[in-house]
């Protein structure tokens, strides 16, 4: 394993006061092989960057357009201008509540790469698909349509929808098996010479992080609820750092 990635997705949570409190509590010995980023809501990117220079910045979404008359949209160029290294694309909440299609997601990936921001493509099956044993086909189809037109420089987050915010984590075996499937599909789509890191997301917390990071195909985590408090996010970061040194 070369690097681990830990990205906190604050979703629609946060305030300037919460960022200041988080930054005051944050104390973590940097590990050059562990990249830690936080994705706050757009209005807080600048404040977070100023208050917490130890963490990298991620955006939660971006427009397919660089600029124009698109009220309410934020471009990948704009988040790059604010210092974002990463942008989440195709999160299941965007797919579910904002009707984002595979076609739109493919365009957002291209937009992010054109702006020099590394996209984090989110994929994952619904509970019904898992119960029907169709999870592999669902995820392969998401990858095929999203990756049709992009360069190999991206991260992928496997987030089974049934594990998001539910306290139901995929078992280490379920996560590892799906990550192996994703790696194989990505290699066939983008070429085997590019190692694409695959993060797991879905109720990751300080108690289950060790077992997930120990999986050979798990290259990091995309963390929702447990990233909102510095203490729990630091505990997950410690777990990742420990895993890198053992
Ligand atoms: P939770 O960690 O709260 O389950 O959220 C996962 C997620 O959606 C991260 O993008």
């Amino acid at each position: 394993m070369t690097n681990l990635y830990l990205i906190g997705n604050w979703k629609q949570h946060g305030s300037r006061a919460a960022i200041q409190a988080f930054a005051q509590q944050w104390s973590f010995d940097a590990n050059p092989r562990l990249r830690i980023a936080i994705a706050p809501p757009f209005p807080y990117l600048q404040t977070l960057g100023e208050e917490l220079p130890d963490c990298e910045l991620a955006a939660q979404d971006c427009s397919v357009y660089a600029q124009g008359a698109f009220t309410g949209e934020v471009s990948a160029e704009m988040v790059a201008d604010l210092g974002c290294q990463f942008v989440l694309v195709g999160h299941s909440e965007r797919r579910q509540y904002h009707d984002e299609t595979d076609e739109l997601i493919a365009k957002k990936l291209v937009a992010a790469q054109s702006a020099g921001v590394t996209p984090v493509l989110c994929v994952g099956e619904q509970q019904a698909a898992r119960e029907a044993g169709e999870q592999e086909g669902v995820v392969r189809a998401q990858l095929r349509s999203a990756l049709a037109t992009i360069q190999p420089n991206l991260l992928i987050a496997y987030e089974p929808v049934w594990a998001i915010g539910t306290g139901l984590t995929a078992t280490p075996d379920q996560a590892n098996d799906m990550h192996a499937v994703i790696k194989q599909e990505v290699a066939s789509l983008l070429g085997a010479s590019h190692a694409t890191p695959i993060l797991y997301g879905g109720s990751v917390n300080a108690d289950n992080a060790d077992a997930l990071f120990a999986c050979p195909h798990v290259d990091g985590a995309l963390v929702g609820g447990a990233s909102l408090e510095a203490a729990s996010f630091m505990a997950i970061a410690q777990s990742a750092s420990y895993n890198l040194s053992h």
Side-chain angles (χ1 to χ4, degrees), residues 9 11 91 159 163-165 202-204 222-225:
N9 175 10
K11 307 190 179 184
H91 191 281
E159 298 206 299
I164 295 180
S203 298
V204 176
L222 180 56
V223 183

mmCIF file of all heavy atoms in Angstrom, residues 9 11 91 159 163-165 202-204 222-225, ligand 1:
data_model
loop_
_atom_site.group_PDB
_atom_site.id
_atom_site.type_symbol
_atom_site.label_atom_id
_atom_site.label_comp_id
_atom_site.label_asym_id
_atom_site.label_seq_id
_atom_site.Cartn_x
_atom_site.Cartn_y
_atom_site.Cartn_z
ATOM 1 N N ASN A 9 -16.786 14.198 4.893
ATOM 2 C CA ASN A 9 -17.862 14.869 4.148
ATOM 3 C C ASN A 9 -18.853 15.428 5.155
ATOM 4 O O ASN A 9 -19.605 14.671 5.765
ATOM 5 C CB ASN A 9 -18.533 13.848 3.205
ATOM 6 C CG ASN A 9 -19.736 14.439 2.486
ATOM 7 O OD1 ASN A 9 -19.977 15.651 2.545
ATOM 8 N ND2 ASN A 9 -20.499 13.592 1.801
ATOM 9 N N LYS A 11 -21.384 17.226 4.580
ATOM 10 C CA LYS A 11 -22.737 17.363 4.025
ATOM 11 C C LYS A 11 -23.274 18.767 4.369
ATOM 12 O O LYS A 11 -22.503 19.722 4.348
ATOM 13 C CB LYS A 11 -23.620 16.224 4.529
ATOM 14 C CG LYS A 11 -22.954 14.853 4.265
ATOM 15 C CD LYS A 11 -23.829 13.676 4.494
ATOM 16 C CE LYS A 11 -23.055 12.393 4.169
ATOM 17 N NZ LYS A 11 -23.847 11.196 4.278
ATOM 18 N N HIS A 91 -22.189 11.718 -5.438
ATOM 19 C CA HIS A 91 -22.575 11.160 -4.132
ATOM 20 C C HIS A 91 -24.019 10.647 -4.219
ATOM 21 O O HIS A 91 -24.856 11.240 -4.916
ATOM 22 C CB HIS A 91 -22.451 12.249 -3.053
ATOM 23 C CG HIS A 91 -22.576 11.687 -1.669
ATOM 24 N ND1 HIS A 91 -23.783 11.371 -1.109
ATOM 25 C CD2 HIS A 91 -21.629 11.341 -0.761
ATOM 26 C CE1 HIS A 91 -23.579 10.873 0.113
ATOM 27 N NE2 HIS A 91 -22.275 10.844 0.343
ATOM 28 N N GLU A 159 -19.611 3.572 -1.620
ATOM 29 C CA GLU A 159 -20.512 3.885 -0.519
ATOM 30 C C GLU A 159 -21.841 3.157 -0.734
ATOM 31 O O GLU A 159 -22.732 3.685 -1.430
ATOM 32 C CB GLU A 159 -20.767 5.394 -0.456
ATOM 33 C CG GLU A 159 -19.519 6.207 -0.194
ATOM 34 C CD GLU A 159 -19.850 7.542 0.469
ATOM 35 O OE1 GLU A 159 -20.572 8.346 -0.120
ATOM 36 O OE2 GLU A 159 -19.397 7.748 1.592
ATOM 37 N N ALA A 163 -25.629 1.665 3.858
ATOM 38 C CA ALA A 163 -24.703 1.839 4.987
ATOM 39 C C ALA A 163 -24.490 3.308 5.337
ATOM 40 O O ALA A 163 -23.791 3.618 6.285
ATOM 41 C CB ALA A 163 -23.362 1.185 4.657
ATOM 42 N N ILE A 164 -25.100 4.219 4.559
ATOM 43 C CA ILE A 164 -24.847 5.651 4.771
ATOM 44 C C ILE A 164 -25.782 6.198 5.844
ATOM 45 O O ILE A 164 -27.004 6.156 5.687
ATOM 46 C CB ILE A 164 -25.018 6.442 3.456
ATOM 47 C CG1 ILE A 164 -23.954 6.011 2.457
ATOM 48 C CG2 ILE A 164 -24.945 7.943 3.711
ATOM 49 C CD1 ILE A 164 -24.019 6.710 1.120
ATOM 50 N N GLY A 165 -25.190 6.659 6.937
ATOM 51 C CA GLY A 165 -25.965 7.290 8.002
ATOM 52 C C GLY A 165 -26.890 6.345 8.734
ATOM 53 O O GLY A 165 -27.776 6.781 9.468
ATOM 54 N N GLY A 202 -19.587 4.798 4.526
ATOM 55 C CA GLY A 202 -20.852 4.247 5.024
ATOM 56 C C GLY A 202 -20.694 3.865 6.482
ATOM 57 O O GLY A 202 -20.195 2.788 6.794
ATOM 58 N N SER A 203 -21.053 4.819 7.377
ATOM 59 C CA SER A 203 -20.999 4.576 8.827
ATOM 60 C C SER A 203 -19.616 4.187 9.330
ATOM 61 O O SER A 203 -19.486 3.389 10.256
ATOM 62 C CB SER A 203 -22.048 3.528 9.235
ATOM 63 O OG SER A 203 -23.348 3.991 8.949
ATOM 64 N N VAL A 204 -18.582 4.771 8.715
ATOM 65 C CA VAL A 204 -17.222 4.558 9.251
ATOM 66 C C VAL A 204 -17.107 5.355 10.553
ATOM 67 O O VAL A 204 -17.522 6.510 10.628
ATOM 68 C CB VAL A 204 -16.144 5.043 8.252
ATOM 69 C CG1 VAL A 204 -14.746 4.909 8.867
ATOM 70 C CG2 VAL A 204 -16.232 4.252 6.952
ATOM 71 N N LEU A 222 -14.234 7.552 3.272
ATOM 72 C CA LEU A 222 -15.020 8.774 3.104
ATOM 73 C C LEU A 222 -16.026 8.769 4.253
ATOM 74 O O LEU A 222 -16.886 7.883 4.320
ATOM 75 C CB LEU A 222 -15.717 8.773 1.741
ATOM 76 C CG LEU A 222 -16.588 9.974 1.393
ATOM 77 C CD1 LEU A 222 -15.823 11.296 1.496
ATOM 78 C CD2 LEU A 222 -17.147 9.831 -0.025
ATOM 79 N N VAL A 223 -15.875 9.729 5.162
ATOM 80 C CA VAL A 223 -16.569 9.669 6.453
ATOM 81 C C VAL A 223 -17.583 10.797 6.557
ATOM 82 O O VAL A 223 -17.223 11.960 6.350
ATOM 83 C CB VAL A 223 -15.538 9.791 7.602
ATOM 84 C CG1 VAL A 223 -16.234 9.663 8.954
ATOM 85 C CG2 VAL A 223 -14.445 8.738 7.458
ATOM 86 N N GLY A 224 -18.821 10.465 6.882
ATOM 87 C CA GLY A 224 -19.844 11.488 7.069
ATOM 88 C C GLY A 224 -19.918 11.912 8.529
ATOM 89 O O GLY A 224 -19.083 12.665 9.029
ATOM 90 N N GLY A 225 -20.899 11.366 9.255
ATOM 91 C CA GLY A 225 -21.192 11.801 10.627
ATOM 92 C C GLY A 225 -19.971 11.869 11.538
ATOM 93 O O GLY A 225 -19.815 12.840 12.291
HETATM 94 P P1 LIG B 1 -21.900 8.393 7.168
HETATM 95 O O1 LIG B 1 -20.442 8.173 7.543
HETATM 96 O O2 LIG B 1 -22.573 9.394 8.042
HETATM 97 O O3 LIG B 1 -22.618 7.086 7.062
HETATM 98 O O4 LIG B 1 -21.899 9.050 5.715
HETATM 99 C C1 LIG B 1 -21.171 8.441 4.702
HETATM 100 C C2 LIG B 1 -21.153 9.327 3.530
HETATM 101 O O5 LIG B 1 -22.139 9.488 2.854
HETATM 102 C C3 LIG B 1 -19.901 10.034 3.226
HETATM 103 O O6 LIG B 1 -19.947 10.621 1.967
#
